């Protein structure tokens, strides 16, 4: 159970202040203001780390079923969604710790990864076959975007010959930046020869952490290192004739994007990379996308702090013309102030509701135009997976979680190009932390999607409106203790939002 208070906040204006605890009304009007426009959505995604290297080699029927859960937008004969329709897939480009085996020092072989690059400088494109299978399945099932990301440069390039760092120092010398850029361009070219179009490459991951415990592949970097790597990568992509955009900088916490905090030379990354006067300015490079990415870890509780940090982030983002924020990785980590603990697998509604609150705050407060979960498929006893599997490299059982379907309440219906609109409840911009509403319009402005998160213990009867005019919902879907994106029959002028549920409602006939 989650212990967030019934706090109120404004999702439209920073002039509104947090209000005293109160319960949301049991009846209310949800009104979308079409002229109040915010970010245009890019994609919802998840990562193939670490298990897809093995699961992609499982029997066809099982891996195909898991791919359908993640990628499909089809329905079964009863109208139930077959999957959550992700719009981006993240491909982990391995550093070669798997080939090193126990000599990699990474004890959990599921956190090691193969490398396409061999010690002699040649490439073996038969590597990472399980991951390639999932990326191809994503493409075949209509996922429009593919992003590749290394956690570490190849072990043949690193300072210590390992896929983890020593003493919190960057594990790549400046004189190898060009080699690393050429390597990533070669990987993208190699994947494209397999029929995979790579839209984005993210060359560094959580550069604020030390990555020196050999728990997985990873390395820290200073902002100056990242700028140098991106300049080399940009040149390599241009030389290879690739259109792939560069995503930076996968900050370990969102506050590192707008302040140094406890990581000098690794924080204030918006100013570092997109400030015109910065020595590390790279926003002008051809392949650098007009977005900066960060992870929502350790910033989701308490609720008032989560809201404030996202307001701070959005304020900093807005100071750079046309810059977007991507929330590029999250799962439930740590104790979260006693609200929910990341330890222990839980397939139920509690973590799904917590996840939905995080998504809502990232989209509505931080104006994130992208939102990505961490492990699509997890073998761990942790709240880190959308799908859970036996930790077996060759075969096993799998099961879906409510977190999968909670993400689906967003990813399946809010497609790339949809734009977030303003929402008021009973004429007020304030929203209760236990009752959260966001709304998104299709690019053609012929469809409106409402996502409603009711974490409270009472059902709420909601009348839907657009610009004050009451409208009739076209279709609804619910995720709750009893349901997994189950279709709702909507025959009344109001929509009942059950207690402890996530409801998505689509409207196809909008007022003129």
């Amino acid at each position: 159970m989650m212990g967030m208070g019934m706090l109120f906040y404004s999702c439209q204006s920073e002039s509104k202040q947090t209000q005293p605890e109160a319960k949301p009304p049991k009846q209310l009007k949800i009104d979308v203001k079409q002229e109040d426009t915010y970010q245009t959505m890019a994609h919802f995604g998840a990562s193939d780390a670490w298990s897809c290297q093995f699961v992609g080699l499982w029997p066809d029927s099982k891996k195909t079923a898991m791919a359908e859960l993640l990628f499909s937008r089809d329905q079964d004969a009863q109208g139930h969604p077959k999957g959550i329709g992700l719009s981006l897939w993240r491909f982990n480009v391995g550093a070669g710790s798997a080939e090193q085996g126990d000599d990699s020092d990474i004890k959990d072989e599921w956190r090691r990864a193969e490398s396409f690059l061999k010690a002699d400088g040649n490439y073996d494109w038969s590597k990472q076959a399980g991951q390639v299978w999932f990326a191809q399945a994503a493409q075949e099932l209509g996922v429009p975007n593919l992003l590749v990301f290394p956690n570490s440069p190849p072990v043949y390039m690193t300072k210590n010959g390992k896929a983890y760092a020593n003493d919190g120092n960057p594990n790549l010398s400046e004189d190898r930046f060009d080699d690393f850029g050429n390597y990533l361009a070669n990987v993208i070219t190699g994947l494209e020869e397999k029929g995979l179009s790579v839209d984005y490459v993210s060359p560094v991951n959580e550069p604020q952490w030390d990555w020196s415990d050999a728990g997985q592949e990873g390395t820290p970097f200073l902002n100056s290192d990242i700028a140098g790597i991106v300049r080399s990568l940009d040149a390599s992509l241009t030389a290879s004739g690739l259109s792939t955009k560069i995503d930076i900088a996968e900050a370990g916490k969102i506050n590192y994007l707008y302040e140094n905090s406890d990581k000098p030379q690794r924080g204030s990354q918006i100013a570092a990379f997109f400030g015109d006067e910065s020595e590390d300015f790279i926003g002008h490079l051809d392949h650098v996308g007009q977005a900066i990415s960060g992870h929502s870890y350790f910033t989701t509780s308490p609720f008032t702090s989560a809201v404030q940090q996202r307001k701070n982030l959005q304020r900093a983002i807005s100071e750079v013309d046309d810059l977007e924020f991507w929330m590029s990785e999250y799962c439930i980590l740590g104790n979260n102030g006693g609200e929910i603990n990341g330890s222990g697998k839980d397939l139920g509604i509690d973590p799904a509701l917590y996840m939905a609150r995080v998504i809502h705050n990232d989209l509505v407060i931080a104006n994130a135009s992208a939102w990505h979960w961490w492990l699509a498929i997890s073998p761990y006893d942790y709240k880190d997976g959308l799908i859970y599997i036996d930790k077996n490299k060759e075969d096993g059982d799998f099961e879906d979680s409510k977190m999968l379907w909670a993400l689906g309440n967003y990813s399946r219906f809010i497609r790339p190009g949809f734009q977030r609109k303003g929402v008021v409840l009973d004429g007020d911009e304030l929203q209760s932390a236990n009752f959260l509403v966001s709304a998104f319009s299709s690019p053609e402005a012929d469809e409106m999607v409402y996502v409603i998160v009711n974490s409270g213990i009472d059902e709420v009867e909601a009348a839907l409106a657009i610009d004050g005019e009451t409208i009739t919902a076209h279709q609804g879907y619910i995720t709750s203790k009893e349901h997994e994106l189950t279709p709702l029959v909507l025959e009344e002028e109001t929509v009942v939002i059950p207690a402890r549920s996530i409801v998505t409602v689509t409207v196809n006939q909008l007022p003129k």
Side-chain angles (χ1 to χ4, degrees):
M1 298 287 288
M2 290 162 289
M4 293 180 179
M6 306 271 191
L7 300 172
F8 282 73
Y9 72 94
S10 168
C11 64
Q12 319 299 340
S13 169
E14 291 191 17
S15 65
K16 302 279 188 174
Q17 300 299 314
T18 300
Q19 300 298 306
E21 294 189 8
K23 288 186 177 181
K26 293 184 180 180
Q27 291 184 328
L28 54 76
K29 182 177 182 179
I30 301 173
D31 193 8
V32 173
K33 302 299 184 182
Q34 294 193 87
E35 291 188 357
D36 293 344
T37 58
Y38 299 92
Q39 77 271 30
T40 298
M41 296 305 300
H43 30 68
F44 289 87
S47 163
D48 70 358
W50 304 91
S51 58
C52 287
Q53 61 182 311
F54 300 125
V55 181
L57 304 177
W58 277 23
D60 284 345
S61 60
K62 293 182 179 180
K63 65 185 181 183
T64 298
M66 284 183 270
E68 190 170 66
L69 285 171
L70 294 166
F71 307 136
S72 176
R73 296 186 69 208
D74 290 341
Q75 298 179 334
D76 63 21
Q78 290 72 44
H80 193 290
K82 292 183 177 180
I84 66 170
L86 293 177
S87 44
L88 178 137
W89 187 238
R90 299 177 65 90
F91 183 106
N92 175 32
V93 179
S97 57
E99 286 85 352
Q100 292 180 320
D102 290 342
D103 289 340
S104 70
D105 300 332
I106 300 173
K107 294 181 175 58
D108 183 356
E109 62 178 318
W110 287 66
R111 290 179 175 246
R112 305 170 190 162
E114 293 181 343
S115 176
F116 292 118
L117 182 65
K118 299 193 297 183
D120 63 5
N122 293 312
Y123 288 81
D124 181 351
W125 299 113
S126 70
K127 296 290 188 178
Q128 301 197 248
Q131 294 173 249
V132 168
W133 185 92
F134 264 94
Q136 291 172 335
Q139 182 170 279
E140 291 168 6
L141 288 169
V143 178
N145 295 288
L146 177 63
L147 180 150
V148 300
F149 70 101
N151 287 303
S152 164
V155 294
Y156 314 112
M157 294 183 187
T158 59
K159 293 178 181 178
N160 62 3
K162 304 287 186 179
Y164 66 93
N166 291 138
D167 301 322
N169 294 311
N171 202 19
L172 185 71
S173 299
E174 184 176 350
D175 61 3
R176 302 302 302 268
F177 288 175
D178 287 348
D179 293 336
F180 187 37
N182 290 334
Y183 156 78
L184 289 173
N186 288 338
V187 167
I188 293 168
T189 300
L191 290 174
E192 294 202 341
E193 289 175 356
K194 292 177 177 290
L196 294 168
S197 178
V198 179
D199 301 280
Y200 309 104
V201 54
S202 180
V204 302
N205 178 65
E206 298 185 340
Q208 290 80 17
W209 309 143
D210 287 349
W211 299 116
S212 299
D213 63 355
Q216 65 168 71
E217 295 188 346
T219 178
F221 285 114
L222 304 178
N223 289 342
S224 57
D225 297 318
I226 297 169
I229 289 169
V230 170
R231 292 184 185 111
S232 293
L233 176 56
D234 181 79
S236 296
L237 293 173
T238 297
S240 299
L242 295 166
S243 61
T244 304
K245 290 293 185 181
I246 302 171
D247 166 36
I248 53 173
E250 305 271 8
K253 295 193 298 182
I254 61 172
N255 62 301
Y256 292 138
L257 294 176
Y258 62 83
E259 65 180 3
N260 278 324
S261 187
D262 57 341
K263 299 293 181 180
Q265 301 183 71
R266 302 187 201 181
S268 297
Q269 293 186 308
I270 295 170
F273 302 135
F274 290 96
D276 292 343
E277 304 302 319
S278 170
E279 293 182 356
D280 298 322
F281 175 62
I282 48 178
H284 64 293
L285 298 176
D286 290 341
H287 291 272
V288 172
Q290 197 63 14
I292 192 164
S293 60
H295 300 172
S296 279
Y297 297 125
F298 313 116
T299 62
T300 61
S301 62
F303 190 84
T304 50
S305 175
V307 168
Q308 187 58 56
Q309 290 187 72
R310 283 153 183 79
K311 286 183 176 181
N312 294 343
L313 171 58
Q314 178 50 31
R315 192 178 299 115
I317 291 281
S318 67
E319 292 176 358
V320 180
D321 291 342
D322 300 321
L323 185 64
E324 299 177 17
F325 165 56
W326 288 4
M327 202 306 294
S328 54
E329 186 181 311
Y330 179 73
C331 70
I332 300 174
L333 286 183
N335 187 45
N336 298 286
E339 294 171 355
I340 190 168
N341 196 306
S343 297
K345 180 174 73 174
D346 186 343
L347 304 178
I349 194 62
D350 287 357
L353 287 168
Y354 191 89
M355 171 201 211
R357 283 183 168 185
V358 175
I359 297 174
H360 176 93
N361 282 343
D362 286 337
L363 300 187
V364 173
I365 309 301
N367 276 3
S369 58
W371 202 93
H372 305 158
W373 183 255
W374 176 219
L375 300 184
I377 302 173
S378 173
Y380 297 111
D381 185 23
Y382 211 84
K383 296 177 182 66
D384 58 0
L386 303 177
I387 299 170
Y388 285 86
I389 58 168
D390 297 333
K391 199 173 185 182
N392 187 317
K393 292 191 293 184
E394 299 178 356
D395 194 1
D397 293 325
F398 68 91
E399 51 192 345
D400 55 344
S401 71
K402 298 289 184 182
M403 288 189 291
L404 171 80
W405 300 107
L407 178 55
N409 276 88
Y410 291 90
S411 60
R412 183 180 173 87
F413 306 100
I414 304 167
R415 304 303 299 170
F418 274 55
Q419 186 176 48
R420 187 170 69 83
K421 300 292 184 177
V423 174
V424 295
L425 305 182
D426 282 346
D428 200 327
E429 293 180 357
L430 293 177
Q431 291 203 28
S432 160
N434 273 9
F435 193 82
L436 302 170
V437 184
S438 53
F440 303 81
S441 175
S442 64
E444 299 78 17
D446 59 356
E447 181 181 4
M448 189 72 70
V449 175
Y450 299 71
V451 185
I452 306 166
V453 183
N454 182 7
S455 299
I457 60 174
D458 296 312
E459 70 177 29
V460 174
E461 187 176 353
L464 305 183
I466 297 177
D467 295 329
E469 182 176 334
T470 301
I471 50 91
T472 301
H474 167 68
Q475 179 68 66
Y477 296 86
I478 181 171
T479 300
S480 65
K481 181 178 179 180
E482 297 82 13
H483 300 287
E484 297 171 341
L485 218 56
T486 302
L488 289 172
V489 177
L490 302 178
E491 297 178 341
E492 306 294 334
E493 291 185 355
T494 58
V495 178
V496 174
I497 313 300
R500 301 188 58 69
S501 72
I502 308 157
V503 173
T504 297
V505 176
T506 60
V507 179
N508 284 353
Q509 293 182 342
L510 308 187
K512 299 297 184 180

